Each structure stands twice: as C-alpha cells, then as structure tokens.
C-alpha cells in the first residue's frame, strides 16, 4: 500500500506556485559561494611532454610565479611522476595547486614504458578517493583531492605531424583525464607553418579516435567564447618569466636578435587563450568533468569488479549485505582453491626432492661400495706382498745363520791347522773377507726391505 502511494505521488505533476512576498531562499547561491570560498579549492594539472620542451616555464608563466622544480635529464631509466603541491591565494580565494611533471617521458625505446606509469598514477589517485568514499568515517570535506583535473599534453613543434608516441599516449589517457593539447615553443615556427601544423594535428586526433577536452557550450554565458576557442585547438603557446621593456611598458617576452615575442600578445601566441579557458572560464567545469565522467567511470568498473551491480525497477531491491556475503563466499572459495593448489604443488615438490635425494643417496652408496672394494683389494695385495717379504726375510735369516756357522767353523779350522805357506793364508783370508762382504750386503738389503714393509 505504501509503495503504491509513493508511485502515485511520484507520477503527479509538480505544481507551480506564486509567492506572496520575499521568502529568502534566493540567497542560496550566495551561501554556496561563501561556503566554497571558506572551504577553498583544489586544482591538479598533469604536464606530459618530452624533457626540455618547456613544461616548467609555461607553469611559471601561467600562474605568474616561480615554482621550485629540478631540471630533467635525458638519461632517466624509466618515467616517474613528480607531484608538487602549492598553496596559492588571490584576493580572498585559496587554491591548493598540484603540478605533476612526467620526468623522463619520451626517452624510452618501448612506448608502453612511457605512458604506463602515467596511467598507473592517475588510477592510483582515483583509488585513493574511492577508498576515502568507502570508509565508515569519511572526511571528504577536508580531504585533499589529488585526482588529475587537466592534462596539458605538450607537442614538439618539429616535423609536420604528431609522433606515434603522442598518439598512443593520448589514446590511452583520453578516457581517464581531460586532455588539452598545446604546441610548445610555438615561436620556433612561422605563422603559416603553425596553422598547417594545427590542422594536421586535429586531423590526426580525429582519425585516430582521440577524445580531447572540448570547452562546454551548454551555458549561455560562456557558450560563444568556448565555441570560438574550440576552433583554436591545439593552443600554440610560448612561456617566459623574463620582464622585457617593450615601448613604455614591461611585458613577459622572449628576446631574439630580430626582435621579441610577447607572451601575452595574442598576435604572437595563444597563451592568453589558454589561460582564459583553463583558469578563468572553465576551471570548475574541468573539476566537474573529472568527478562526473572520468572518476565515475573508474568507480563503476571498480565496483563491478568487486561484485556490486545496480538493479532495474522491475527487479528485486539491491542488498549491500547480500552482495558482500556472496562476494566474501566467492573469495573464500577462490582462496581455498588456491591454497589447495599451493598445497598440492608443495607435495609434488617434496616428492620430487625426495626422489632426487634417494637417487643421490643411491649413487653415493654405490660409490662408497666401489671405494670399499678397491680398498679391500689394495689391502689384500699389500698383505700378500708383506707375506712374501716376510718369507724372504726368514729365508735370508736362515742363510745368514748357516753362513755365520760356516764362517765360524772355517775360522776355527784355520786357527787349529798351521799354514804351509803365506800364499795359502792370504787365499783363505780373501775368501773369508768375500764371504763376510756378501753376508753384510745381504743383511743390509734385508734391513731395507723390512723398513719398506713397515712403512707400507
């Protein structure tokens, strides 16, 4: 019954009433302005371009100040993004400005290595904001929003068209950030060449399906100027922080031997057009487009990955608790499956390792048995040689005893029988000496053999 009543009231036409006097809600815009001014604003600019193309100089010229920035090098191993945040104040309006520089962009051989860190940085800022939104205790009022509101893509004024890296990078970025292409150092080409380059760049962007930011024409107050400025894209800009005296006044300009290029002279470059469109007319639209278009696209894809979905009017109502429980069960099942796979993988690895260890153990055992057999064979051979030597030593000792006995008997016989002549005596003496020398030689050889056996 209650649902039917709601449908009835929803289908009723709204009635317009005339007020009999001043009520006061016409001050709502003033209240909104006061609240916004008190809260302050944030604006984040991403500068994408090659090293030395003039990104820092243009930022200094755009905000009429000097930002601290280190000069980039062409020898960076990879692209890394360097954000710098500043608190600016103009009149009573506070602006938290963040400028993000792409250090090392364009110095890599692989194009993917050039634009991938930029995409990851933009998604990381979206992810931070989404995490803050999903918190139970949120603080979005004073949250420092780091989402990129505008990407100034710097195009080198060399050649007659865009580089392949420019097309690939802008194609990857157009669904994640508002892109405004600018031709840097536009004073290095002639006026006619600059016009041809602009036409060529826009033609290539359209033919490759690159969506750049178009200034809105829905608001009647800015429709005419925005429509006119859309025809001037890409802006050809010149940056300079030097004050040069031209005539009777000081202006921002670049001096050359043939004259000067005035930054704020619309006949020389499009710097004034860029500043008007970026800061004075469409800054809030850039912030709104970032939140309503690019962030919402990221948020929708992210929540769909997490299992959340919208319901049609005819379907059942959406339950956050049921979705969470279903996603949790799915996650636990997936986690259990992965654990089982890891467990099975671990078991297989253990089995393989055990098989390898058993094989190694078998090889070591066979090697040990082989060495053991070799040792036993060598020991057996040594024992045989030792036994042979001992037998030889025993035989030698027997011969030695026999020789000593024989020599003793001979000496005893000589002492008992007188020699007839000295010649016989000498002959007997020589024989005795010869036998004694032979015995000594044999004894020395036996002693050395015994020492050799003991050493072995």
């Amino acid at each position: 019954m209650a649902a039917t009543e709601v449908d009835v009231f929803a289908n009723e036409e709204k009635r317009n009433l005339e007020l009999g006097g001043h009520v006061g809600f016409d001050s709502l815009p003033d209240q909104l302005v006061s609240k916004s001014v008190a809260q302050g604003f944030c604006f984040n600019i991403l500068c994408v371009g090659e090293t030395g193309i003039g990104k820092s100089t243009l930022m200094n010229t755009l905000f009429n100040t000097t930002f601290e920035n280190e000069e980039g090098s062409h020898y960076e191993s990879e692209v890394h993004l360097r954000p710098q945040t500043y608190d600016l104040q103009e009149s009573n309006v506070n602006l938290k400005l963040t400028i993000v520089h792409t250090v090392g962009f364009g110095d890599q051989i692989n194009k993917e290595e050039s634009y991938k860190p930029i995409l990851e940085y933009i998604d990381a800022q979206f992810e931070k904001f989404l995490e803050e939104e999903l918190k139970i205790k949120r603080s979005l009022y004073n949250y420092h929003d780091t989402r990129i509101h505008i990407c100034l893509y710097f195009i080198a004024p060399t050649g007659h068209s865009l580089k392949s890296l420019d097309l690939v990078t802008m194609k990857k970025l157009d669904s994640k950030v508002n892109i405004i292409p600018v031709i840097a150092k536009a004073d290095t080409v002639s006026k006619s060449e600059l016009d041809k380059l602009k036409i060529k760049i826009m033609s290539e962007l359209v033919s490759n399906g690159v969506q750049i930011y178009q200034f809105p024409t829905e608001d009647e107050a800015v429709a005419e100027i925005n429509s006119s400025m859309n025809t001037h894209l890409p802006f050809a800009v010149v940056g300079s922080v030097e004050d040069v005296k031209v005539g009777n006044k000081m202006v921002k300009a670049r001096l050359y031997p043939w004259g000067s290029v005035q930054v704020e002279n619309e006949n020389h470059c499009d710097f004034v057009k860029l500043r008007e469109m970026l800061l004075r007319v469409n800054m809030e639209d850039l912030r709104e487009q970032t939140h309503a278009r690019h962030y919402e696209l990221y948020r929708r894809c992210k929540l769909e990955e997490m299992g959340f979905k919208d319901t049609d009017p005819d379907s059942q109502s959406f339950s956050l608790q049921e979705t969470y429980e279903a996603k949790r069960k799915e996650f636990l099942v997936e986690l259990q499956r992965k654990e089982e796979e890891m467990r099975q993988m671990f078991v297989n690895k253990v089995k393989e390792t055990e098989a390898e260890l058993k094989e190694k153990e078998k090889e070591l055992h066979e090697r040990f048995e082989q060495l053991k057999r070799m040792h036993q064979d060598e020991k057996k051979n040594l024992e045989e040689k030792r036994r042979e030597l001992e037998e030889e030593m025993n035989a030698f000792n027997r011969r030695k005893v026999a020789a000593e006995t024989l020599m003793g008997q001979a000496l005893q016989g000589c002492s008992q029988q007188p020699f007839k002549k000295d010649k016989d005596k000498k002959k007997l003496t020589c024989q005795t000496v010869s036998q004694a020398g032979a015995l000594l030689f044999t004894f020395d050889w036996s002693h050395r053999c015994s020492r050799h056996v003991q050493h072995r």
Side-chain angles (χ1 to χ4, degrees), residues 418-435:
F419 294 98
K420 295 180 180 181
K421 295 181 181 180
D422 293 337
K423 184 177 180 180
D424 295 334
K425 185 178 181 179
K426 289 181 180 180
K427 183 178 180 181
L428 180 61
T429 303
C430 288
Q431 292 177 354
T432 304
V433 171
S434 297
Q435 292 177 355

Side-chain angles (χ1 to χ4, degrees), residues 169-230:
T169 303
M170 283 193 277
K171 184 62 178 177
K172 294 292 183 180
L173 294 178
D174 62 358
S175 62
K176 295 180 178 295
V177 67
N178 303 312
I179 301 177
I180 294 181
V182 295
I183 302 175
K185 298 183 178 180
D187 54 334
T188 59
V189 294
S190 64
K191 187 71 173 178
S192 60
E193 291 177 347
L194 193 59
D195 294 337
K196 293 179 182 178
L197 181 59
K198 283 187 175 184
I199 296 174
K200 184 65 174 178
I201 289 174
M202 292 304 298
S203 175
E204 290 186 347
L205 292 177
V206 172
S207 61
N208 287 275
V210 179
Q211 300 293 328
I212 63 174
Y213 176 75
Q214 295 290 323
F215 302 116
T217 57
E218 293 81 7
D219 189 357
E220 295 180 358
V222 296
E224 183 178 356
I225 185 173
N226 281 348
S227 178
S228 174
M229 289 302 168
N230 283 329

Side-chain angles (χ1 to χ4, degrees), residues 29 33 36 48-49 51 69 80 89 139 149 165 176 192 238 248 306 331 345 358 386 398 430:
V33 170
S36 299
V48 181
T51 304
N69 188 32
H80 62 274
Q89 183 175 4
S139 57
H149 299 124
L165 175 62
K176 295 180 178 295
S192 60
V238 177
N248 296 325
M306 296 171 64
F331 173 75
M345 186 183 300
K358 288 181 179 179
R386 182 176 180 180
R398 289 193 298 270
C430 288

Side-chain angles (χ1 to χ4, degrees), residues 105 128 304 435:
F105 178 80
K128 289 180 181 178
E304 287 177 353
Q435 292 177 355

